Amino acid sequence: EKIKITIPQDAKEGYVKLVASGLEITTKTLLKYTEPISITKFAPSPVKAGQTLTIEGDYLNLIQKVVFSANVEVSYKDFLTWERKKIEVVVPREAQTGIIILADTAAIPVELKSETELQVVLPSVEKVLDLTNKKPGDVVSTIGQNLDLVESVQLPDGAPVAHAIKDDVLAFTLPEGITDGAIVMVAYSGVHVAIANIGVAVPTDLVATPATGIKDGSVISIKGVNMDLVTTALFPGVSESVTPTSKNATEIKVTTPTNAKTEDLILNTVRGKTVSVKITTLKPEILSYKPSSVAAGNEFTIKGKNLDLVTSVTFGGNKVVEVTPTSSTDLLVKA
């Protein structure tokens, strides 16, 4: 029902053609362009929920909503300032760290993404406590920062536990039946931050973005709890582990190496434990040959998808031909 594309910078006004196998469809309406909406900077970053975020650029008066990570929207009706060169909004408490999007409310909206991520402040503790020797009924307290952002405290099994916050101290009582794992505080944004561990701590609540359609060189963000315990990541089909390019308590980023396959991505921790998260890589797909028959020694073209991932073609009799792709949709091969 809908195709969404990014318009190339050098595209001119005119009719748009949709091209399929043996078919071209031309739009009935002329593609025209609006004023060049742009973002030059935003500040402050990091920013705390409740603070005012200032976005500067051009033609921002055409923007009707600011979308924070996790699809948290602020409508133009709630903008503090709405001018051509500047928008000011109060950061919602549900906002998370990530790219911000400026958009209008058209049926096919104009969307402009920031080039860098907006860093949103999370509640934090001075250190993650080790509760190995604690018992049910013991009161646990920890010193932290920005604890006003805490919505709840959850036990390793996901059950909430009553807590109290006074000044910079968060306290709660260990209930009966407490199990091994991480005790976390949950921010209003939904992000989990570890407070304490019972037993050997491992990363939990893992979410990979992207988790599908991954190519060599793709940067994968993996969010969760205790992510700062991760030392290396081992991709399926790759013998050498890779080191995260960035790491904090709630997120790591890793770059996909060559030849990674669809399976579990293994995360290794400082204590020798491992956890995994499922990823799916892109696969080459053959749609047709041109010509469909060819004499030995002649060239032919394979048409398909993701053909830029191909390094060799194997013919009957296990005859292997090395190839150098120049396109994701066409591959020239010598028979």
Side-chain angles (χ1 to χ4, degrees):
E1 295 179 346
K2 180 171 67 175
I3 296 175
K4 191 174 184 179
I5 62 170
T6 300
I7 300 173
Q9 288 288 345
D10 56 351
K12 295 180 172 56
E13 290 189 351
Y15 294 98
V16 179
K17 288 185 178 180
L18 305 183
V19 182
S21 179
L23 176 68
E24 285 189 357
I25 303 172
T26 302
T27 58
K28 294 182 178 180
T29 54
L30 189 69
L31 176 65
K32 295 184 178 181
Y33 302 114
T34 59
E35 293 87 346
I37 303 169
S38 63
I39 301 173
T40 55
K41 66 177 182 178
F42 54 77
S45 182
V47 65
K48 185 177 178 179
Q51 289 183 327
T52 298
L53 175 69
T54 300
I55 303 169
E56 296 183 15
D58 204 359
Y59 294 104
L60 300 181
N61 55 303
L62 302 177
I63 294 301
Q64 294 174 304
K65 60 182 177 180
V66 176
V67 184
F68 295 84
S69 183
N71 292 320
V72 176
E73 296 185 2
V74 178
S75 167
Y76 70 94
K77 297 178 182 178
D78 297 316
F79 290 176
L80 302 179
T81 302
W82 189 22
E83 302 171 350
R84 172 176 168 173
K85 298 286 187 179
K86 182 170 66 175
I87 290 175
E88 291 182 321
V89 297
V90 174
V91 178
R93 63 183 185 179
E94 297 85 6
Q96 298 182 12
T97 292
I99 297 296
I100 59 173
I101 300 174
L102 306 186
D104 62 17
T105 55
I108 302 178
V110 173
E111 294 185 348
L112 179 63
K113 295 182 179 180
S114 62
E115 294 183 356
T116 58
E117 290 188 341
L118 172 68
Q119 301 296 317
V120 179
V121 173
L122 287 172
S124 61
V125 292
E126 284 189 345
K127 66 175 182 179
V128 178
L129 303 176
D130 182 358
L131 304 182
T132 301
N133 296 321
K134 293 289 186 178
K135 299 177 181 179
D138 287 347
V139 175
V140 178
S141 61
T142 183
I143 299 173
Q145 293 181 321
N146 300 304
L147 298 180
D148 56 312
L149 300 176
V150 176
E151 181 178 23
S152 64
V153 174
Q154 289 184 4
L155 300 173
D157 61 0
V161 61
H163 70 282
I165 297 174
K166 185 176 182 180
D167 298 326
D168 293 329
V169 178
L170 182 149
F172 58 93
T173 301
L174 293 178
E176 295 291 337
I178 186 72
T179 58
D180 285 354
I183 299 175
V184 300
M185 51 187 175
V186 183
Y188 286 101
S189 61
V191 178
H192 291 195
V193 179
I195 301 173
N197 290 304
I198 300 178
V200 178
V202 294
T204 60
D205 301 336
L206 302 181
V207 177
T209 306
T212 61
I214 297 169
K215 299 177 69 173
D216 295 352
S218 297
V219 176
I220 303 175
S221 165
I222 306 172
K223 294 184 178 181
V225 178
N226 290 322
M227 299 307 296
D228 51 338
L229 299 179
V230 176
T231 55
T232 57
L234 184 61
F235 281 78
V238 180
S239 59
E240 296 292 330
S241 58
V242 299
T243 302
T245 55
S246 67
K247 179 172 67 173
N248 58 43
T250 60
E251 180 186 23
I252 66 167
K253 291 184 178 181
V254 291
T255 301
T256 307
T258 303
N259 297 325
K261 298 180 179 179
T262 296
E263 245 179 81
D264 287 342
L265 169 60
I266 306 298
L267 304 182
N268 301 309
T269 72
V270 291
R271 297 187 181 181
K273 295 288 185 178
T274 62
V275 292
S276 63
V277 60
K278 183 78 171 182
I279 61 171
T280 303
T281 56
L282 281 178
K283 300 290 188 300
E285 182 179 344
I286 296 175
L287 299 179
S288 63
Y289 303 96
K290 187 176 182 180
S292 57
S293 61
V294 65
N298 290 336
E299 292 183 334
F300 67 100
T301 299
I302 298 175
K303 291 186 172 292
K305 300 177 182 178
N306 306 313
L307 299 181
D308 52 327
L309 304 177
V310 178
T311 57
S312 66
V313 175
T314 303
F315 291 86
N318 280 333
K319 300 296 183 181
V320 179
V321 175
E322 302 295 327
V323 294
T324 303
T326 58
S327 166
S328 64
T329 56
D330 295 89
L331 186 64
L332 187 64
V333 184
K334 187 174 183 179

